[in-house]
Amino acid sequence: MNSVDPNEQKLRRALTTPLLTLYGLGVTVGAGIYVLVGATADIAGPFAALSFVVAALVVSLTALSYAELATRFPVSAGEAAYVEAGFRKNWMAVFVGLAVAASGVISASAVAIGAASYLHALTGFAIPILTISVVLIMGLIALWGITESVFIAAVITIIEIAGLLFVIGWGMSIQDPQGYGISSMLPPLELDAWRGIFAASLLAFFAFVGFEDMANVAEEVKDPVRTIPKAILLTLVLATVLYLGTSMTVLLVVPIDVLSTSAAPLALVFSNAPEVIKQGFSAVAIVATVNGVLIQMIMASRVIYGLADRDHLPKVLAIVPKSTQTPVVATLLVVAIIVLLTQTIPIGTLAERTSQIVLGVFVLVNISLIQLKMQPDEAAKHFRVPIVVPILGVITSALLFGSGFL
């Protein structure tokens, strides 16, 4: 096994707690919440908002495992490094690293097509041309530098969050809401109600996928032992509060029969708003999807760089020019694959499998932490969680993984 020395890193440690938190929120609070509220309402009815809370509790277990592992091994290709240390098998590290990179590339491809579809509605340009343009522009930003690219992603994330806060503010100000009253969103102690909540929480879980991307920029984080756990927990808490507020607002304002069949549920809050507000919110939705392309691109390129830097992939992929201090060759490869996927493969089926790839990785990462915790810990200072956390992380992730095949 190749040892990991954080002092040998070539990437620039530039990310602070606010920047890393905004990076995490940029992945987590993205297209998911903009489309998932309707689907969760279709399953859980008036109790859909609670399904996001259940999902957050499940996700928090694996998030805490990531917080410890990312401070033990603050390097790129985080999951690969964790699995390599836990299982002591190089092939497993390569498999997990490539799975994580694949999930990022597939997700970015699907999101790029979505962004192009929104843009097509506004501009009338052909979707293939718009898709390639989105990918290339985001690729140039990713090549520019980690501080610059994450700063741009952070600005977009703030716009994205402002859009959700606007939904909540506008919805709460509507005089005659057509949905459920707040009191009817609290479930009774009945099996059927909770069965619906737990079924919807499997869907809501996918709105939280993204926090693990923070582990893959760990090599570019200032003071990772203090910064990473704070940023991961802040991301989850803020995302949960936003999801709860947004879903409750939509359930309050929009009739359930309309909401449960809509692919753009948040836009329904503005159905009686002036045209300028409708168009403004559409622009925010486009920005939200474009942000997902940039952040997944950054993540996938860092995983490939990290694998190459530890001799698991060709060394050329670990080249980092001093001018940008970003993995240029790895980023160009990621951009090329995304362009190819968007133009040649129906991305829907692949995108559905992205979440299952992530859950499979979660299981292996939690098992790795259990194995590491059963060995003597010679590390200096790092964040620690009780061993019950990764054990519960394995169980919950495995249950969610299996449910996807039912």
Side-chain angles (χ1 to χ4, degrees), residues 17 53 121 125 142 159 165 167 322 360 375 393 405:
T17 302
V53 178
F125 290 122
I159 295 169
L165 293 174
V167 168
K322 286 186 178 178
Q375 300 167 12
F405 292 99

Side-chain angles (χ1 to χ4, degrees), residues 319-394:
I319 290 173
V320 178
K322 286 186 178 178
S323 56
T324 62
Q325 290 185 287
T326 57
V328 168
V329 181
T331 304
L332 290 172
L333 176 65
V334 166
V335 170
I337 294 171
I338 292 171
V339 168
L340 186 67
L341 285 175
T342 60
Q343 300 305 308
T344 58
I345 298 174
I347 215 73
T349 308
L350 291 172
E352 287 170 17
R353 293 289 168 244
T354 301
S355 297
Q356 285 174 321
I357 293 171
V358 172
L359 283 164
V361 170
F362 282 4
V363 171
L364 293 174
V365 165
N366 278 300
I367 293 172
S368 297
L369 182 56
I370 293 166
Q371 292 183 321
L372 287 167
K373 280 184 164 297
M374 293 170 72
Q375 300 167 12
D377 188 359
E378 298 168 3
K381 291 188 296 181
H382 61 73
F383 182 76
R384 286 177 172 82
V385 297
I387 195 165
V388 70
V389 169
I391 290 171
L392 290 172
V394 170

Side-chain angles (χ1 to χ4, degrees), residues 117-285:
S117 300
Y118 280 122
L119 285 165
H120 170 72
L122 284 182
T123 65
F125 290 122
I127 288 177
I129 293 168
L130 289 169
T131 307
I132 293 171
S133 301
V134 166
V135 174
L136 293 181
I137 291 167
M138 294 302 110
L140 286 171
I141 294 171
L143 285 167
W144 187 8
I146 188 63
T147 310
E148 293 82 1
S149 53
V150 172
F151 177 76
I152 289 169
V155 170
I156 295 173
T157 300
I158 290 167
I159 295 169
E160 214 170 87
I161 292 169
L164 294 181
L165 293 174
F166 187 56
V167 168
I168 296 168
W170 185 271
M172 291 297 178
S173 71
I174 290 174
Q175 297 297 317
D176 185 25
Q178 300 295 307
Y180 293 106
I182 298 291
S183 59
S184 62
M185 294 182 200
L186 296 171
L189 292 172
E190 293 174 8
L191 185 61
D192 280 351
W194 284 94
R195 187 183 290 134
I197 291 165
F198 284 115
S201 71
L202 300 178
L203 190 60
F205 166 84
F206 303 131
F208 287 93
V209 168
F211 75 86
E212 74 281 359
D213 285 9
M214 299 160 80
N216 289 306
V217 293
E219 199 167 319
E220 293 155 284
V221 173
K222 287 181 179 177
D223 190 8
V225 173
R226 289 168 59 86
T227 301
I228 293 172
K230 275 198 293 186
I232 286 177
L233 293 173
L234 268 172
T235 296
L236 281 182
V237 169
L238 292 171
T240 303
V241 170
L242 279 167
Y243 287 178
L244 188 59
T246 304
S247 53
M248 286 179 71
T249 302
V250 179
L251 285 164
L252 178 73
V253 173
V254 183
I256 188 69
D257 55 332
V258 178
L259 176 60
S260 60
T261 57
S262 174
L266 302 195
L268 298 173
V269 173
F270 303 101
S271 58
N272 295 319
E275 195 62 32
V276 65
I277 288 179
K278 289 182 184 177
Q279 289 183 346
F281 185 74
S282 296
V284 171

